[in-house]
Amino acid sequence: MTALFGTPDIAIGMKGSVSRVRLFDGPLDLSWRHCATTSDFIADLFALRFQSSRNDYMEVRHSIGYLVNELIENAVKFRAPGEIVVEASMDSECFKLKVSNDVDGEIASEFQSLLADITVGDPKDLLIQRIEANAANPDVGSSGLGLLTLMSDYGARLAWIFSPADENDRICLETYASIPISPTHN
Amino acid sequence: MEIKTDDYRVWTEGSDIFFDGAMRLASSEAGAPITALATSVLASNPASITLNLKDLHFLNSSGINLLAKFTIEVRKHPDVRLVVRGTPDIPWQSKSLPNLKKLHPALVLLMN
């Protein structure tokens, strides 16, 4: 069965030209450092067109880098063994990202229950509430703070699709994200 | 006191805590040495603590959570003034540091 969380209209696939990076598990021995190198690479690539304004370039490069880094970090941290596919595209208004990887069934259930909590309400309020809850009781865990930071501080719209994977008890997770790109200095 | 890795450095000068580089913590456990350093400054009961972030170019959400938790710790000591120095030139700082003031309204946030 397929389940969707978050903003449905951004989870309709990537339109136009898409850049795709496939992180293979075996030869790369996927590790934490790949999150930084991959997100920096994608941010560099997509911010290039803003080079005429230093402020725009810094802002766009950082926002894309932050978004991609957080979502690849989540994929590296929670994935079942296997590859991670990162797809990105940009139009005049927003940068769009899709990260695909498999997760174990148990991880998928826990993540779905977290998403049910953090996708309903104002992300700015939810972020502060969750930080307070986490500080008061470390057992609550810090899961979700990265996603809430993206929604609250970067205006990111996020969606997740869970569908059965080829292998038993594995779920294919697609994470979709969109952030506004609005040049302010010309 | 100093914590140094290939990517970032954290050190104290009196009750000022300086951060430099790009910090991408893999978990809150990975930030434990930094929390310990900051907690030891708080334990010395200074009149004020300054977090100087002006050279911290990147901080992932685990790191932001670390700063948030420390802010909440300092909030429990009303006699300790907390100053956070950032710069509007580094986008994550102008986007996310105002959240610390929401957690602790008496915090002094200097963005210049």
Side-chain angles (χ1 to χ4, degrees), chain A residues 57-101:
Chain A
Y57 175 75
M58 298 292 285
E59 178 79 24
V60 169
R61 187 179 177 282
H62 172 80
S63 292
I64 293 175
Y66 195 89
L67 172 75
V68 179
N69 184 68
E70 286 291 328
L71 295 189
I72 300 183
E73 281 186 358
N74 280 354
V76 166
K77 209 185 283 186
F78 296 112
R79 85 202 147 96
E83 67 186 30
I84 298 170
V85 180
V86 183
E87 292 163 278
S89 72
M90 187 157 71
D91 59 26
S92 56
E93 290 170 357
C94 55
F95 171 82
K96 289 179 182 168
L97 183 72
K98 177 184 172 187
V99 178
S100 312
N101 58 279

Side-chain angles (χ1 to χ4, degrees), chain A residues 131-142:
Chain A
I131 290 171
E132 292 280 7
N134 175 237
N137 178 9
D139 294 339
V140 171
S142 56

Side-chain angles (χ1 to χ4, degrees), chain A residues 32-33 35-37 39-40 58-59 62-63 65-66 69-70 73 77 124-125 127-128 131-132 134-135 138 142 145-147 149 152-154, chain B residues 6-7 24-28 57-62 64-65 68-69 72-73 75-76 89-97 99-100 102-103:
Chain A
W32 200 245
R33 187 158 283 276
C35 304
T37 47
S39 57
D40 282 350
M58 298 292 285
E59 178 79 24
H62 172 80
S63 292
Y66 195 89
N69 184 68
E70 286 291 328
E73 281 186 358
K77 209 185 283 186
K124 290 184 187 301
D125 296 337
L127 175 62
I128 298 298
I131 290 171
E132 292 280 7
N134 175 237
S142 56
L145 291 177
L147 299 173
T149 299
S152 160
D153 300 351
Y154 291 78
Chain B
D6 288 345
D7 301 312
R24 302 167 194 264
L25 301 173
S27 62
S28 41
H57 298 286
F58 192 94
L59 186 64
N60 69 354
S61 64
S62 294
I64 292 175
N65 188 38
K69 280 171 116 167
I72 290 171
E73 275 310 303
R75 188 178 70 186
K76 296 174 188 166
D89 295 337
I90 299 178
W92 76 262
Q93 299 194 4
S94 34
K95 290 178 193 300
S96 293
L97 287 181
N99 292 333
L100 299 182
K102 285 189 199 168
L103 293 167

